[in-house]
Every structure is written in C-alpha cells, then in structure tokens.
Amino acid sequence: MKILAPSPAELTRGRAATPIAFIRAIVTGYRRRGMDPASALAQAQIPPALLDDPAARVTAAQMEVMSGLAMQELDDEALGWFSRRLPWGSYGMLCRASITSPTLEVALKRWCRHHRLLTEDIVFALAQRAGLATIRVTENAELGELREFCLVSTLRYLLGYACWLVDSRIALSEAAFPFPAPAHADAYAYLFAGPARFAAESAGLAFDARYLALPVRRDEKALQTMLQRALPLTVLQYRRDRLLVHSVAQVLAADPAAAQTAEDIAAQLNTSVRTLHRQLKEEGVSLQRLKNEARRERAIRLLLQTRRPVKQIAAAVGFDSEKSFARAFREWTGRAPSAFREGRQQEEIPPS
C-alpha cells in the first residue's frame, strides 16, 4: 500500500507544538537497534542540534514524517517501546478488527482485547461506572526512558481513532499519566482536549459514557484511505460533537409536548445557544426537525400502544388542535392518525 506523506513545503508550515522530547524518543529507538536516524531527521527537516534543546518543538508534519520513516525502517510501529517489535501494519490490523462494530463501545472493547495479541507489555481496559467511561492502561513491563512517549502515543492514537470512527469529538473528563508533569506539559492540551492529571496511579482517559452508544460511521473504504496517512487524521481535533445532538434528541423525547426554545435546551445541556445551533448545522439538522421527530415517535407510540382518542394524543405531543396534528401526522407518515392506527392493528391480526 502506498503511504502518503506531507510535501517538503508542508513540513515546517503551521504551529510547532510537538515537544522535541518525542523526537528524541524516536532517535532512542533507532540507537537501541544500532541504526542511524540521520536520514529520517534530514527528511523531516529536523536539524540534529535541535535534539539538544529541551524547549524545542517541531510541527505535526515533521513528527508525521519522522515517526512514519522510523516505523518502516525499524519495522516496528511501537518504535522500540515493547519487548517485541510490532511489524508494519500491526495497528492497521486493530483498526480492521473493529471497523465493523455497531457502536463505539463494541469497537473499543475489540481494540483493547486485540491489542493483547500484539503485546502484553501494556494492556488496555474499558470500564463504565456512574455515567463515566474509562480506558486504563496496565503496565506489565518496564518502559524506561520511552515510558512517556509510549503512553502518550498509544492513548492519543486510540482516542483519535475513536473520534474518527464516530466522526465526532470526544470531550475528555480527564487524561491521566503516571509520571510527574514534564517541562513540555503545556503540549498535552493540544494532544488531549480535556484536563491532564500527572502523577496518577495509572495512565488512562475518562469521558462521558454516552459516547459509547454512538454508532460507528466509517467503513472499509474509509479505513483504507485513513491508513494511507493515519497520523494527521487520528490527531485531528474535531469540532463536531455528536453527543450534543444525541442529547438534544433525548431532551426533546422526554417531553415532546413542551414548547422548548433553543435557550431552554442549551441551558439544560450546559452549553451556549450559539454552540447548539452550530453543532446542529454541522450535523445537517435543525432544532425544528428534531422536535418534529420527537413528536412523531411519541405520537406513533401512543397510537399503537394505547386506546387514547386522537384528540388527546394531539395534545400530548404539543398540538393545539386535532386538525393541525392530523395534518402534521399525514406529512410525517402519509396517513391520517386513525388510519395509521387501524392499518397497523390489522397487520398484526393473523390470517384465519
């Protein structure tokens, strides 16, 4: 498979936010194998003298080229972290094993389980408690001087892949790391969109468990494209948050008859009206459409599961009159409420 790479002009363009410590870690991987990183550094346009400046930073494109070359030259996607090499394509295999998952929860469970087939030096585990989802890392081997780079890289890749799978930003409640805050701790805000906690008991991520129910939105074709240039796609910071749209639908479904304004809903979700409208626009839906869907679903349930008169159902889903409800229901389903109820009941009567 041909691997795409940034052009020479792209390498030094943009913000230099990646700590030089991560480049030094890659260089360590080369030297542990008795190999020279000079060619990779040159192709990434990283002067060797920069390695001696602890405050230096490189761009995401330079990091992409350096790590990509190292993975291929060392034939190790783990870049020397583990007791055994992970040959080129190992993490792609994890992606393929989870791409057919129905939800993010299933995908993450598969990822964590299958990662143990690659190595048990570190083990990932997904858990839920009190509405919070956590991914924790258990270290079963001494990672030494590559510990920070290993834990940051694997968690960032897993988070980025999860966001890509559901095409949504996953807002973190916390990113935890079992080492003191490094001198470049400010870079963690760019890598992990949420509070970073250092000197924790173990490495891990925590986020709202409702994200786990989001459906996987990618397929094999999209995966093939992503794997040609995985680093920028998995490090991409998404603006869209599909959980917000899902939460709007839940608020409306809880009380379809309520005349809730955008201000009311935004207040319940602890967000701004501007953010609410922006997220809905990015999803290609309107607040009115979500309101109509909530009313329609509620109306259908009442028609099929109760014997309440159509006039009462109209009021229960927020219509002032039976006539306006009947007109809207016909637009939704192509049938009048009473005809819809009678037709579905007849469909359920077995033939004699």
Side-chain angles (χ1 to χ4, degrees), residues 77 86 89-101 107 110-119 124 157-158 161 165 223 227:
E77 291 193 347
L86 303 190
S90 295
Y91 279 99
M93 181 188 69
L94 294 187
C95 295
R96 290 187 176 89
S98 57
I99 192 69
T100 58
S101 304
R110 288 180 180 176
W111 176 282
C112 295
R113 183 171 65 251
H114 292 142
H115 195 275
R116 297 187 69 169
L117 299 176
L118 301 180
T119 180
F124 296 87
Y157 190 91
L158 179 52
Y161 177 63
L165 272 180
L223 177 61
L227 290 177

Side-chain angles (χ1 to χ4, degrees), residues 1-4 92 95-96 99 164 218-230 233:
M1 180 176 66
K2 182 180 179 181
I3 303 299
L4 304 178
C95 295
R96 290 187 176 89
I99 192 69
W164 177 83
R218 307 294 188 174
D219 58 18
E220 180 66 27
K221 183 178 179 180
L223 177 61
Q224 291 295 337
T225 301
M226 186 275 280
L227 290 177
Q228 289 185 338
R229 195 172 175 186
L233 286 176

Side-chain angles (χ1 to χ4, degrees), residues 174-217:
E174 178 183 84
F177 302 95
F179 43 77
H184 48 265
D186 61 305
Y188 280 66
Y190 177 76
L191 295 168
F192 301 95
R197 180 166 62 93
F198 298 98
E201 182 177 344
S202 61
L205 305 173
F207 52 92
D208 192 315
R210 290 177 296 171
Y211 283 107
L212 296 176
L214 291 180
V216 169
R217 291 175 172 262

Side-chain angles (χ1 to χ4, degrees), residues 26 31 47 63 148 200 206 236 239 244-245 248 250 282 284 294 351:
I26 296 175
R31 291 175 176 162
M63 180 65 182
E148 180 196 5
L236 177 67
R239 292 182 64 197
L244 178 62
V245 179
V248 171
Q250 287 185 317
E282 289 177 353

Side-chain angles (χ1 to χ4, degrees), residues 71-84:
M71 287 177 185
Q72 293 181 73
E73 291 176 356
L74 302 176
D75 191 23
D76 184 6
E77 291 193 347
L79 297 172
W81 307 328
F82 304 135
S83 54
R84 57 162 299 213

Side-chain angles (χ1 to χ4, degrees), residues 26-348:
I26 296 175
V27 169
T28 297
Y30 271 92
R31 291 175 176 162
R32 284 184 172 182
R33 300 274 166 79
M35 299 174 64
D36 188 353
S39 177
L41 288 168
Q43 291 183 65
Q45 296 185 27
I46 301 174
L50 208 62
L51 299 173
D52 298 323
D53 180 2
R57 305 287 174 100
V58 298
T59 67
Q62 289 175 299
M63 180 65 182
E64 177 186 356
V65 168
M66 185 69 188
S67 59
L69 288 170
M71 287 177 185
Q72 293 181 73
E73 291 176 356
L74 302 176
D75 191 23
D76 184 6
E77 291 193 347
L79 297 172
W81 307 328
F82 304 135
S83 54
R84 57 162 299 213
R85 288 186 295 177
L86 303 190
W88 182 257
S90 295
Y91 279 99
M93 181 188 69
L94 294 187
C95 295
R96 290 187 176 89
S98 57
I99 192 69
T100 58
S101 304
T103 65
L104 180 61
E105 179 179 9
V106 175
L108 290 176
K109 285 181 176 178
R110 288 180 180 176
W111 176 282
C112 295
R113 183 171 65 251
H114 292 142
H115 195 275
R116 297 187 69 169
L117 299 176
L118 301 180
T119 180
E120 290 203 1
D121 288 2
I122 63 172
V123 174
F124 296 87
L126 173 69
Q128 291 186 63
R129 184 178 181 182
L132 196 67
T134 59
I135 297 174
R136 293 297 175 201
V137 182
T138 299
E139 299 175 52
N140 296 323
E142 178 59 48
L143 300 174
E145 59 187 320
L146 298 182
R147 188 186 193 200
E148 180 196 5
F149 186 45
C150 170
L151 296 176
V152 168
S153 297
T154 51
L155 283 174
R156 178 54 251 191
Y157 190 91
L158 179 52
L159 174 62
Y161 177 63
C163 292
W164 177 83
L165 272 180
V166 296
D167 191 22
S168 172
R169 178 175 65 92
I170 296 176
L172 296 179
S173 303
E174 178 183 84
F177 302 95
F179 43 77
H184 48 265
D186 61 305
Y188 280 66
Y190 177 76
L191 295 168
F192 301 95
R197 180 166 62 93
F198 298 98
E201 182 177 344
S202 61
L205 305 173
F207 52 92
D208 192 315
R210 290 177 296 171
Y211 283 107
L212 296 176
L214 291 180
V216 169
R217 291 175 172 262
R218 307 294 188 174
D219 58 18
E220 180 66 27
K221 183 178 179 180
L223 177 61
Q224 291 295 337
T225 301
M226 186 275 280
L227 290 177
Q228 289 185 338
R229 195 172 175 186
L231 184 65
L233 286 176
T234 54
V235 174
L236 177 67
Q237 298 286 356
Y238 282 76
R239 292 182 64 197
R240 171 190 286 124
D241 189 342
R242 294 189 186 277
L243 181 60
L244 178 62
V245 179
H246 179 67
S247 298
V248 171
Q250 287 185 317
V251 168
L252 294 171
D255 190 0
Q260 300 193 67
T261 64
E263 289 75 12
D264 296 331
I265 295 170
Q268 292 181 64
L269 298 178
N270 296 314
T271 190
S272 68
V273 173
R274 181 179 179 182
T275 297
L276 175 64
H277 283 305
R278 174 174 58 78
Q279 296 282 6
L280 292 176
K281 183 178 180 181
E282 289 177 353
E283 283 292 287
V285 298
S286 66
L287 183 58
Q288 188 58 51
R289 174 179 162 184
L290 292 177
K291 287 182 178 180
N292 288 341
E293 289 177 355
R295 288 179 167 184
R296 181 191 64 203
E297 295 304 314
R298 173 69 169 160
I300 288 174
R301 283 199 305 272
L302 291 175
L303 283 168
L304 299 181
Q305 297 176 8
T306 75
R307 295 186 178 183
R308 294 168 66 174
V310 172
K311 184 175 182 179
Q312 290 184 13
I313 293 175
V317 296
F319 284 87
D320 295 331
S321 69
E322 182 178 348
K323 184 177 180 181
S324 60
F325 168 64
R327 183 168 55 249
F329 193 86
R330 191 175 290 109
E331 290 177 358
W332 297 337
T333 66
R335 303 169 75 177
S338 56
F340 182 89
R341 170 184 270 170
E342 292 171 4
R344 292 296 291 269
Q345 288 175 342
Q346 290 177 0
E347 290 173 4
E348 293 175 1

